[in-house]
PDB file of all heavy atoms in Angstrom:
ATOM      1  N   GLY A 634       0.782  -1.224   0.000  1.00  0.00           N
ATOM      2  CA  GLY A 634       0.000   0.000   0.000  1.00  0.00           C
ATOM      3  C   GLY A 634       0.814   1.274   0.000  1.00  0.00           C
ATOM      4  O   GLY A 634       0.247   2.371  -0.032  1.00  0.00           O
ATOM      5  N   LEU A 635       2.136   1.151   0.044  1.00  0.00           N
ATOM      6  CA  LEU A 635       3.015   2.320   0.005  1.00  0.00           C
ATOM      7  C   LEU A 635       3.644   2.465  -1.381  1.00  0.00           C
ATOM      8  O   LEU A 635       3.753   1.496  -2.138  1.00  0.00           O
ATOM      9  CB  LEU A 635       4.124   2.190   1.046  1.00  0.00           C
ATOM     10  CG  LEU A 635       3.674   2.083   2.510  1.00  0.00           C
ATOM     11  CD1 LEU A 635       4.879   1.855   3.411  1.00  0.00           C
ATOM     12  CD2 LEU A 635       2.908   3.330   2.938  1.00  0.00           C
ATOM     13  N   LYS A 636       4.081   3.661  -1.703  1.00  0.00           N
ATOM     14  CA  LYS A 636       4.778   3.857  -2.971  1.00  0.00           C
ATOM     15  C   LYS A 636       6.092   3.097  -2.969  1.00  0.00           C
ATOM     16  O   LYS A 636       6.477   2.487  -3.965  1.00  0.00           O
ATOM     17  CB  LYS A 636       5.017   5.353  -3.209  1.00  0.00           C
ATOM     18  CG  LYS A 636       5.666   5.646  -4.554  1.00  0.00           C
ATOM     19  CD  LYS A 636       5.790   7.142  -4.815  1.00  0.00           C
ATOM     20  CE  LYS A 636       6.406   7.404  -6.184  1.00  0.00           C
ATOM     21  NZ  LYS A 636       6.512   8.867  -6.449  1.00  0.00           N
ATOM     22  N   TRP A 637       6.786   3.133  -1.820  1.00  0.00           N
ATOM     23  CA  TRP A 637       8.047   2.399  -1.683  1.00  0.00           C
ATOM     24  C   TRP A 637       7.861   1.346  -0.591  1.00  0.00           C
ATOM     25  O   TRP A 637       8.018   1.630   0.612  1.00  0.00           O
ATOM     26  CB  TRP A 637       9.192   3.349  -1.338  1.00  0.00           C
ATOM     27  CG  TRP A 637       9.490   4.280  -2.471  1.00  0.00           C
ATOM     28  CD1 TRP A 637      10.144   3.999  -3.630  1.00  0.00           C
ATOM     29  CD2 TRP A 637       9.120   5.666  -2.550  1.00  0.00           C
ATOM     30  NE1 TRP A 637      10.201   5.108  -4.434  1.00  0.00           N
ATOM     31  CE2 TRP A 637       9.585   6.151  -3.797  1.00  0.00           C
ATOM     32  CE3 TRP A 637       8.439   6.540  -1.702  1.00  0.00           C
ATOM     33  CZ2 TRP A 637       9.396   7.470  -4.212  1.00  0.00           C
ATOM     34  CZ3 TRP A 637       8.240   7.852  -2.109  1.00  0.00           C
ATOM     35  CH2 TRP A 637       8.714   8.305  -3.351  1.00  0.00           C
ATOM     36  N   ASN A 638       7.473   0.145  -1.002  1.00  0.00           N
ATOM     37  CA  ASN A 638       7.195  -0.929  -0.052  1.00  0.00           C
ATOM     38  C   ASN A 638       8.461  -1.620   0.409  1.00  0.00           C
ATOM     39  O   ASN A 638       9.531  -1.517  -0.223  1.00  0.00           O
ATOM     40  CB  ASN A 638       6.227  -1.938  -0.680  1.00  0.00           C
ATOM     41  CG  ASN A 638       4.793  -1.457  -0.641  1.00  0.00           C
ATOM     42  OD1 ASN A 638       4.285  -1.105   0.416  1.00  0.00           O
ATOM     43  ND2 ASN A 638       4.142  -1.420  -1.801  1.00  0.00           N
ATOM     44  N   LEU A 639       8.341  -2.318   1.514  1.00  0.00           N
ATOM     45  CA  LEU A 639       9.437  -3.080   2.096  1.00  0.00           C
ATOM     46  C   LEU A 639       9.083  -4.566   2.040  1.00  0.00           C
ATOM     47  O   LEU A 639       7.927  -4.934   2.244  1.00  0.00           O
ATOM     48  CB  LEU A 639       9.663  -2.662   3.548  1.00  0.00           C
ATOM     49  CG  LEU A 639       9.897  -1.169   3.796  1.00  0.00           C
ATOM     50  CD1 LEU A 639       9.764  -0.846   5.279  1.00  0.00           C
ATOM     51  CD2 LEU A 639      11.275  -0.749   3.278  1.00  0.00           C
ATOM     52  N   THR A 640      10.066  -5.400   1.793  1.00  0.00           N
ATOM     53  CA  THR A 640       9.851  -6.846   1.761  1.00  0.00           C
ATOM     54  C   THR A 640      10.910  -7.529   2.614  1.00  0.00           C
ATOM     55  O   THR A 640      12.080  -7.622   2.215  1.00  0.00           O
ATOM     56  CB  THR A 640       9.911  -7.404   0.324  1.00  0.00           C
ATOM     57  OG1 THR A 640       8.949  -6.702  -0.487  1.00  0.00           O
ATOM     58  CG2 THR A 640       9.583  -8.894   0.303  1.00  0.00           C
ATOM     59  N   ASN A 641      10.489  -7.937   3.823  1.00  0.00           N
ATOM     60  CA  ASN A 641      11.418  -8.591   4.764  1.00  0.00           C
ATOM     61  C   ASN A 641      12.695  -7.781   4.942  1.00  0.00           C
ATOM     62  O   ASN A 641      13.786  -8.344   5.039  1.00  0.00           O
ATOM     63  CB  ASN A 641      11.759 -10.009   4.292  1.00  0.00           C
ATOM     64  CG  ASN A 641      10.546 -10.912   4.280  1.00  0.00           C
ATOM     65  OD1 ASN A 641       9.701 -10.841   5.168  1.00  0.00           O
ATOM     66  ND2 ASN A 641      10.443 -11.748   3.257  1.00  0.00           N
ATOM     67  N   GLN A 642      12.559  -6.473   5.015  1.00  0.00           N
ATOM     68  CA  GLN A 642      13.738  -5.616   5.102  1.00  0.00           C
ATOM     69  C   GLN A 642      14.057  -5.214   6.535  1.00  0.00           C
ATOM     70  O   GLN A 642      13.183  -5.184   7.406  1.00  0.00           O
ATOM     71  CB  GLN A 642      13.551  -4.368   4.237  1.00  0.00           C
ATOM     72  CG  GLN A 642      13.766  -4.659   2.752  1.00  0.00           C
ATOM     73  CD  GLN A 642      13.637  -3.414   1.909  1.00  0.00           C
ATOM     74  OE1 GLN A 642      12.604  -3.163   1.299  1.00  0.00           O
ATOM     75  NE2 GLN A 642      14.699  -2.624   1.872  1.00  0.00           N
ATOM     76  N   VAL A 643      15.322  -4.916   6.761  1.00  0.00           N
ATOM     77  CA  VAL A 643      15.785  -4.427   8.056  1.00  0.00           C
ATOM     78  C   VAL A 643      15.588  -2.914   8.102  1.00  0.00           C
ATOM     79  O   VAL A 643      15.963  -2.196   7.175  1.00  0.00           O
ATOM     80  CB  VAL A 643      17.279  -4.760   8.269  1.00  0.00           C
ATOM     81  CG1 VAL A 643      17.798  -4.114   9.548  1.00  0.00           C
ATOM     82  CG2 VAL A 643      17.500  -6.266   8.299  1.00  0.00           C
ATOM     83  N   LEU A 644      14.964  -2.441   9.177  1.00  0.00           N
ATOM     84  CA  LEU A 644      14.880  -1.006   9.430  1.00  0.00           C
ATOM     85  C   LEU A 644      15.657  -0.715  10.701  1.00  0.00           C
ATOM     86  O   LEU A 644      15.340  -1.248  11.764  1.00  0.00           O
ATOM     87  CB  LEU A 644      13.424  -0.555   9.601  1.00  0.00           C
ATOM     88  CG  LEU A 644      12.516  -0.504   8.366  1.00  0.00           C
ATOM     89  CD1 LEU A 644      11.152   0.069   8.739  1.00  0.00           C
ATOM     90  CD2 LEU A 644      13.145   0.314   7.247  1.00  0.00           C
ATOM     91  N   LYS A 645      16.670   0.113  10.603  1.00  0.00           N
ATOM     92  CA  LYS A 645      17.399   0.561  11.779  1.00  0.00           C
ATOM     93  C   LYS A 645      18.215   1.784  11.412  1.00  0.00           C
ATOM     94  O   LYS A 645      18.588   1.992  10.252  1.00  0.00           O
ATOM     95  CB  LYS A 645      18.285  -0.538  12.363  1.00  0.00           C
ATOM     96  CG  LYS A 645      19.488  -0.937  11.539  1.00  0.00           C
ATOM     97  CD  LYS A 645      20.318  -1.970  12.310  1.00  0.00           C
ATOM     98  CE  LYS A 645      21.557  -2.383  11.538  1.00  0.00           C
ATOM     99  NZ  LYS A 645      22.380  -3.348  12.299  1.00  0.00           N
ATOM    100  N   PHE A 646      18.477   2.601  12.437  1.00  0.00           N
ATOM    101  CA  PHE A 646      19.253   3.805  12.208  1.00  0.00           C
ATOM    102  C   PHE A 646      20.660   3.425  11.755  1.00  0.00           C
ATOM    103  O   PHE A 646      21.289   2.518  12.311  1.00  0.00           O
ATOM    104  CB  PHE A 646      19.298   4.662  13.467  1.00  0.00           C
ATOM    105  CG  PHE A 646      18.013   5.413  13.718  1.00  0.00           C
ATOM    106  CD1 PHE A 646      17.023   4.867  14.506  1.00  0.00           C
ATOM    107  CD2 PHE A 646      17.805   6.654  13.132  1.00  0.00           C
ATOM    108  CE1 PHE A 646      15.831   5.554  14.720  1.00  0.00           C
ATOM    109  CE2 PHE A 646      16.626   7.343  13.334  1.00  0.00           C
ATOM    110  CZ  PHE A 646      15.630   6.796  14.130  1.00  0.00           C
ATOM    111  N   GLY A 647      21.147   4.120  10.740  1.00  0.00           N
ATOM    112  CA  GLY A 647      22.449   3.811  10.178  1.00  0.00           C
ATOM    113  C   GLY A 647      22.368   2.823   9.030  1.00  0.00           C
ATOM    114  O   GLY A 647      23.360   2.568   8.349  1.00  0.00           O
ATOM    115  N   THR A 648      21.173   2.261   8.807  1.00  0.00           N
ATOM    116  CA  THR A 648      20.976   1.323   7.700  1.00  0.00           C
ATOM    117  C   THR A 648      19.853   1.811   6.795  1.00  0.00           C
ATOM    118  O   THR A 648      20.085   2.224   5.670  1.00  0.00           O
ATOM    119  CB  THR A 648      20.651  -0.088   8.227  1.00  0.00           C
ATOM    120  OG1 THR A 648      21.748  -0.538   9.030  1.00  0.00           O
ATOM    121  CG2 THR A 648      20.459  -1.075   7.076  1.00  0.00           C
ATOM    122  N   LEU A 649      18.616   1.786   7.308  1.00  0.00           N
ATOM    123  CA  LEU A 649      17.472   2.251   6.527  1.00  0.00           C
ATOM    124  C   LEU A 649      16.346   2.688   7.455  1.00  0.00           C
ATOM    125  O   LEU A 649      16.014   1.977   8.414  1.00  0.00           O
ATOM    126  CB  LEU A 649      16.951   1.135   5.602  1.00  0.00           C
ATOM    127  CG  LEU A 649      15.702   1.456   4.775  1.00  0.00           C
ATOM    128  CD1 LEU A 649      15.988   2.557   3.747  1.00  0.00           C
ATOM    129  CD2 LEU A 649      15.178   0.208   4.071  1.00  0.00           C
ATOM    130  N   VAL A 650      15.807   3.861   7.176  1.00  0.00           N
ATOM    131  CA  VAL A 650      14.609   4.354   7.859  1.00  0.00           C
ATOM    132  C   VAL A 650      13.656   4.825   6.767  1.00  0.00           C
ATOM    133  O   VAL A 650      14.062   5.538   5.854  1.00  0.00           O
ATOM    134  CB  VAL A 650      14.934   5.515   8.823  1.00  0.00           C
ATOM    135  CG1 VAL A 650      13.666   6.108   9.402  1.00  0.00           C
ATOM    136  CG2 VAL A 650      15.845   5.027   9.947  1.00  0.00           C
ATOM    137  N   SER A 651      12.391   4.420   6.845  1.00  0.00           N
ATOM    138  CA  SER A 651      11.425   4.763   5.804  1.00  0.00           C
ATOM    139  C   SER A 651      10.757   6.091   6.128  1.00  0.00           C
ATOM    140  O   SER A 651       9.707   6.148   6.757  1.00  0.00           O
ATOM    141  CB  SER A 651      10.363   3.664   5.665  1.00  0.00           C
ATOM    142  OG  SER A 651       9.409   4.016   4.675  1.00  0.00           O
ATOM    143  N   THR A 652      11.355   7.189   5.684  1.00  0.00           N
ATOM    144  CA  THR A 652      10.766   8.520   5.839  1.00  0.00           C
ATOM    145  C   THR A 652      10.382   9.050   4.466  1.00  0.00           C
ATOM    146  O   THR A 652      10.846   8.547   3.435  1.00  0.00           O
ATOM    147  CB  THR A 652      11.743   9.499   6.504  1.00  0.00           C
ATOM    148  OG1 THR A 652      12.937   9.577   5.704  1.00  0.00           O
ATOM    149  CG2 THR A 652      12.113   9.046   7.907  1.00  0.00           C
ATOM    150  N   SER A 653       9.521  10.071   4.454  1.00  0.00           N
ATOM    151  CA  SER A 653       9.064  10.691   3.196  1.00  0.00           C
ATOM    152  C   SER A 653       8.511   9.665   2.218  1.00  0.00           C
ATOM    153  O   SER A 653       8.675   9.795   1.004  1.00  0.00           O
ATOM    154  CB  SER A 653      10.198  11.489   2.543  1.00  0.00           C
ATOM    155  OG  SER A 653      10.634  12.517   3.396  1.00  0.00           O
ATOM    156  N   ASN A 654       7.864   8.636   2.765  1.00  0.00           N
ATOM    157  CA  ASN A 654       7.163   7.678   1.919  1.00  0.00           C
ATOM    158  C   ASN A 654       5.781   8.255   1.602  1.00  0.00           C
ATOM    159  O   ASN A 654       5.411   9.312   2.101  1.00  0.00           O
ATOM    160  CB  ASN A 654       7.045   6.335   2.636  1.00  0.00           C
ATOM    161  CG  ASN A 654       7.053   5.152   1.677  1.00  0.00           C
ATOM    162  OD1 ASN A 654       6.513   5.231   0.570  1.00  0.00           O
ATOM    163  ND2 ASN A 654       7.665   4.049   2.089  1.00  0.00           N
ATOM    164  N   THR A 655       5.001   7.573   0.782  1.00  0.00           N
ATOM    165  CA  THR A 655       3.648   8.003   0.480  1.00  0.00           C
ATOM    166  C   THR A 655       2.831   6.771   0.100  1.00  0.00           C
ATOM    167  O   THR A 655       3.321   5.630   0.201  1.00  0.00           O
ATOM    168  CB  THR A 655       3.633   9.083  -0.619  1.00  0.00           C
ATOM    169  OG1 THR A 655       2.312   9.648  -0.711  1.00  0.00           O
ATOM    170  CG2 THR A 655       4.061   8.529  -1.964  1.00  0.00           C
ATOM    171  N   TYR A 656       1.592   6.970  -0.335  1.00  0.00           N
ATOM    172  CA  TYR A 656       0.674   5.860  -0.556  1.00  0.00           C
ATOM    173  C   TYR A 656       0.569   5.507  -2.044  1.00  0.00           C
ATOM    174  O   TYR A 656       0.864   6.332  -2.907  1.00  0.00           O
ATOM    175  CB  TYR A 656      -0.706   6.223  -0.013  1.00  0.00           C
ATOM    176  CG  TYR A 656      -0.672   6.752   1.405  1.00  0.00           C
ATOM    177  CD1 TYR A 656      -0.824   8.110   1.666  1.00  0.00           C
ATOM    178  CD2 TYR A 656      -0.449   5.899   2.473  1.00  0.00           C
ATOM    179  CE1 TYR A 656      -0.781   8.602   2.966  1.00  0.00           C
ATOM    180  CE2 TYR A 656      -0.401   6.388   3.774  1.00  0.00           C
ATOM    181  CZ  TYR A 656      -0.568   7.740   4.011  1.00  0.00           C
ATOM    182  OH  TYR A 656      -0.504   8.217   5.291  1.00  0.00           O
ATOM    183  N   ASP A 657       0.109   4.281  -2.310  1.00  0.00           N
ATOM    184  CA  ASP A 657      -0.038   3.862  -3.707  1.00  0.00           C
ATOM    185  C   ASP A 657      -1.446   4.099  -4.253  1.00  0.00           C
ATOM    186  O   ASP A 657      -1.741   3.765  -5.404  1.00  0.00           O
ATOM    187  CB  ASP A 657       0.349   2.383  -3.881  1.00  0.00           C
ATOM    188  CG  ASP A 657      -0.629   1.421  -3.198  1.00  0.00           C
ATOM    189  OD1 ASP A 657      -1.628   1.868  -2.613  1.00  0.00           O
ATOM    190  OD2 ASP A 657      -0.370   0.191  -3.259  1.00  0.00           O
ATOM    191  N   GLY A 658      -2.329   4.680  -3.418  1.00  0.00           N
ATOM    192  CA  GLY A 658      -3.675   5.000  -3.866  1.00  0.00           C
ATOM    193  C   GLY A 658      -4.715   3.942  -3.571  1.00  0.00           C
ATOM    194  O   GLY A 658      -5.910   4.137  -3.830  1.00  0.00           O
ATOM    195  N   SER A 659      -4.312   2.820  -2.991  1.00  0.00           N
ATOM    196  CA  SER A 659      -5.246   1.730  -2.694  1.00  0.00           C
ATOM    197  C   SER A 659      -6.125   2.024  -1.485  1.00  0.00           C
ATOM    198  O   SER A 659      -7.186   1.423  -1.317  1.00  0.00           O
ATOM    199  CB  SER A 659      -4.477   0.421  -2.457  1.00  0.00           C
ATOM    200  OG  SER A 659      -3.673   0.531  -1.286  1.00  0.00           O
ATOM    201  N   GLY A 660      -5.669   2.946  -0.626  1.00  0.00           N
ATOM    202  CA  GLY A 660      -6.442   3.292   0.562  1.00  0.00           C
ATOM    203  C   GLY A 660      -6.180   2.402   1.759  1.00  0.00           C
ATOM    204  O   GLY A 660      -6.735   2.621   2.830  1.00  0.00           O
ATOM    205  N   ILE A 661      -5.343   1.403   1.606  1.00  0.00           N
ATOM    206  CA  ILE A 661      -5.010   0.481   2.702  1.00  0.00           C
ATOM    207  C   ILE A 661      -3.506   0.253   2.721  1.00  0.00           C
ATOM    208  O   ILE A 661      -2.884  -0.006   1.684  1.00  0.00           O
ATOM    209  CB  ILE A 661      -5.744  -0.861   2.546  1.00  0.00           C
ATOM    210  CG1 ILE A 661      -7.253  -0.678   2.728  1.00  0.00           C
ATOM    211  CG2 ILE A 661      -5.228  -1.882   3.563  1.00  0.00           C
ATOM    212  CD1 ILE A 661      -8.069  -1.930   2.503  1.00  0.00           C
ATOM    213  N   VAL A 662      -2.926   0.349   3.905  1.00  0.00           N
ATOM    214  CA  VAL A 662      -1.513   0.018   4.102  1.00  0.00           C
ATOM    215  C   VAL A 662      -1.443  -1.174   5.047  1.00  0.00           C
ATOM    216  O   VAL A 662      -2.072  -1.160   6.111  1.00  0.00           O
ATOM    217  CB  VAL A 662      -0.738   1.204   4.710  1.00  0.00           C
ATOM    218  CG1 VAL A 662       0.695   0.798   5.066  1.00  0.00           C
ATOM    219  CG2 VAL A 662      -0.728   2.384   3.745  1.00  0.00           C
ATOM    220  N   THR A 663      -0.713  -2.205   4.665  1.00  0.00           N
ATOM    221  CA  THR A 663      -0.475  -3.322   5.580  1.00  0.00           C
ATOM    222  C   THR A 663       0.993  -3.313   5.983  1.00  0.00           C
ATOM    223  O   THR A 663       1.878  -3.004   5.176  1.00  0.00           O
ATOM    224  CB  THR A 663      -0.831  -4.687   4.960  1.00  0.00           C
ATOM    225  OG1 THR A 663       0.090  -4.988   3.904  1.00  0.00           O
ATOM    226  CG2 THR A 663      -2.257  -4.691   4.428  1.00  0.00           C
ATOM    227  N   ILE A 664       1.227  -3.629   7.235  1.00  0.00           N
ATOM    228  CA  ILE A 664       2.581  -3.620   7.791  1.00  0.00           C
ATOM    229  C   ILE A 664       2.743  -4.858   8.662  1.00  0.00           C
ATOM    230  O   ILE A 664       1.905  -5.127   9.529  1.00  0.00           O
ATOM    231  CB  ILE A 664       2.832  -2.365   8.650  1.00  0.00           C
ATOM    232  CG1 ILE A 664       2.602  -1.092   7.830  1.00  0.00           C
ATOM    233  CG2 ILE A 664       4.254  -2.375   9.240  1.00  0.00           C
ATOM    234  CD1 ILE A 664       2.374   0.151   8.664  1.00  0.00           C
ATOM    235  N   GLU A 665       3.794  -5.598   8.425  1.00  0.00           N
ATOM    236  CA  GLU A 665       4.148  -6.718   9.292  1.00  0.00           C
ATOM    237  C   GLU A 665       5.552  -6.470   9.821  1.00  0.00           C
ATOM    238  O   GLU A 665       6.482  -6.244   9.045  1.00  0.00           O
ATOM    239  CB  GLU A 665       4.082  -8.048   8.551  1.00  0.00           C
ATOM    240  CG  GLU A 665       4.334  -9.252   9.453  1.00  0.00           C
ATOM    241  CD  GLU A 665       4.057 -10.590   8.798  1.00  0.00           C
ATOM    242  OE1 GLU A 665       3.736 -10.601   7.593  1.00  0.00           O
ATOM    243  OE2 GLU A 665       4.165 -11.626   9.494  1.00  0.00           O
ATOM    244  N   THR A 666       5.681  -6.472  11.143  1.00  0.00           N
ATOM    245  CA  THR A 666       6.965  -6.160  11.766  1.00  0.00           C
ATOM    246  C   THR A 666       7.283  -7.138  12.890  1.00  0.00           C
ATOM    247  O   THR A 666       6.370  -7.648  13.545  1.00  0.00           O
ATOM    248  CB  THR A 666       6.976  -4.704  12.295  1.00  0.00           C
ATOM    249  OG1 THR A 666       8.228  -4.440  12.951  1.00  0.00           O
ATOM    250  CG2 THR A 666       5.854  -4.466  13.295  1.00  0.00           C
ATOM    251  N   ASP A 667       8.557  -7.392  13.097  1.00  0.00           N
ATOM    252  CA  ASP A 667       8.957  -8.324  14.160  1.00  0.00           C
ATOM    253  C   ASP A 667       9.255  -7.610  15.469  1.00  0.00           C
ATOM    254  O   ASP A 667       9.417  -8.245  16.507  1.00  0.00           O
ATOM    255  CB  ASP A 667      10.192  -9.133  13.729  1.00  0.00           C
ATOM    256  CG  ASP A 667      11.426  -8.271  13.544  1.00  0.00           C
ATOM    257  OD1 ASP A 667      11.284  -7.085  13.161  1.00  0.00           O
ATOM    258  OD2 ASP A 667      12.545  -8.765  13.777  1.00  0.00           O
ATOM    259  N   ARG A 668       9.326  -6.273  15.436  1.00  0.00           N
ATOM    260  CA  ARG A 668       9.604  -5.474  16.627  1.00  0.00           C
ATOM    261  C   ARG A 668       8.704  -4.240  16.631  1.00  0.00           C
ATOM    262  O   ARG A 668       8.166  -3.865  15.603  1.00  0.00           O
ATOM    263  CB  ARG A 668      11.076  -5.027  16.656  1.00  0.00           C
ATOM    264  CG  ARG A 668      12.106  -6.155  16.645  1.00  0.00           C
ATOM    265  CD  ARG A 668      12.063  -7.003  17.911  1.00  0.00           C
ATOM    266  NE  ARG A 668      12.330  -6.232  19.109  1.00  0.00           N
ATOM    267  CZ  ARG A 668      13.544  -5.930  19.559  1.00  0.00           C
ATOM    268  NH1 ARG A 668      14.618  -6.312  18.885  1.00  0.00           N
ATOM    269  NH2 ARG A 668      13.686  -5.249  20.676  1.00  0.00           N
ATOM    270  N   PRO A 669       8.558  -3.567  17.778  1.00  0.00           N
ATOM    271  CA  PRO A 669       7.775  -2.326  17.780  1.00  0.00           C
ATOM    272  C   PRO A 669       8.310  -1.342  16.745  1.00  0.00           C
ATOM    273  O   PRO A 669       9.524  -1.179  16.583  1.00  0.00           O
ATOM    274  CB  PRO A 669       7.976  -1.800  19.207  1.00  0.00           C
ATOM    275  CG  PRO A 669       8.225  -3.025  20.031  1.00  0.00           C
ATOM    276  CD  PRO A 669       9.038  -3.927  19.143  1.00  0.00           C
ATOM    277  N   LEU A 670       7.381  -0.675  16.048  1.00  0.00           N
ATOM    278  CA  LEU A 670       7.744   0.190  14.921  1.00  0.00           C
ATOM    279  C   LEU A 670       6.830   1.411  14.930  1.00  0.00           C
ATOM    280  O   LEU A 670       5.609   1.267  15.014  1.00  0.00           O
ATOM    281  CB  LEU A 670       7.592  -0.587  13.608  1.00  0.00           C
ATOM    282  CG  LEU A 670       7.944   0.105  12.302  1.00  0.00           C
ATOM    283  CD1 LEU A 670       9.409   0.536  12.271  1.00  0.00           C
ATOM    284  CD2 LEU A 670       7.651  -0.842  11.128  1.00  0.00           C
ATOM    285  N   LEU A 671       7.413   2.588  14.847  1.00  0.00           N
ATOM    286  CA  LEU A 671       6.636   3.818  14.917  1.00  0.00           C
ATOM    287  C   LEU A 671       6.082   4.178  13.533  1.00  0.00           C
ATOM    288  O   LEU A 671       6.838   4.312  12.573  1.00  0.00           O
ATOM    289  CB  LEU A 671       7.510   4.972  15.432  1.00  0.00           C
ATOM    290  CG  LEU A 671       6.758   6.232  15.849  1.00  0.00           C
ATOM    291  CD1 LEU A 671       6.043   6.008  17.185  1.00  0.00           C
ATOM    292  CD2 LEU A 671       7.709   7.417  15.959  1.00  0.00           C
ATOM    293  N   TRP A 672       4.755   4.289  13.459  1.00  0.00           N
ATOM    294  CA  TRP A 672       4.091   4.758  12.239  1.00  0.00           C
ATOM    295  C   TRP A 672       3.814   6.246  12.382  1.00  0.00           C
ATOM    296  O   TRP A 672       3.340   6.701  13.423  1.00  0.00           O
ATOM    297  CB  TRP A 672       2.768   4.014  12.050  1.00  0.00           C
ATOM    298  CG  TRP A 672       1.846   4.625  11.019  1.00  0.00           C
ATOM    299  CD1 TRP A 672       0.750   5.396  11.281  1.00  0.00           C
ATOM    300  CD2 TRP A 672       1.948   4.520   9.594  1.00  0.00           C
ATOM    301  NE1 TRP A 672       0.144   5.776  10.101  1.00  0.00           N
ATOM    302  CE2 TRP A 672       0.860   5.253   9.049  1.00  0.00           C
ATOM    303  CE3 TRP A 672       2.836   3.888   8.737  1.00  0.00           C
ATOM    304  CZ2 TRP A 672       0.654   5.363   7.674  1.00  0.00           C
ATOM    305  CZ3 TRP A 672       2.622   3.996   7.362  1.00  0.00           C
ATOM    306  CH2 TRP A 672       1.553   4.717   6.848  1.00  0.00           C
ATOM    307  N   THR A 673       4.138   7.010  11.333  1.00  0.00           N
ATOM    308  CA  THR A 673       3.823   8.429  11.337  1.00  0.00           C
ATOM    309  C   THR A 673       3.201   8.793  10.004  1.00  0.00           C
ATOM    310  O   THR A 673       3.508   8.192   8.974  1.00  0.00           O
ATOM    311  CB  THR A 673       5.091   9.289  11.602  1.00  0.00           C
ATOM    312  OG1 THR A 673       4.721  10.665  11.674  1.00  0.00           O
ATOM    313  CG2 THR A 673       6.155   9.091  10.543  1.00  0.00           C
TER     314      THR A 673
END
């Protein structure tokens, strides 16, 4: 549901943080995470 989706990717400071993302127009975003993750 995002313009720049993630697939089993690592998110951490110094590696990758998903900022300035946007939507793909579907109206639904799904997120699966193995640790707490801040949505903004």
Side-chain angles (χ1 to χ4, degrees):
L635 299 176
K636 183 175 182 179
W637 293 285
N638 281 306
L639 305 166
T640 304
N641 296 321
Q642 282 182 260
V643 174
L644 288 184
K645 70 176 181 178
F646 284 92
T648 300
L649 177 66
V650 174
S651 179
T652 58
S653 300
N654 211 324
T655 190
Y656 310 104
D657 68 2
S659 65
I661 293 176
V662 173
T663 68
I664 302 161
E665 185 171 4
T666 178
D667 65 329
R668 301 294 300 277
L670 181 61
L671 193 74
W672 167 258
T673 183

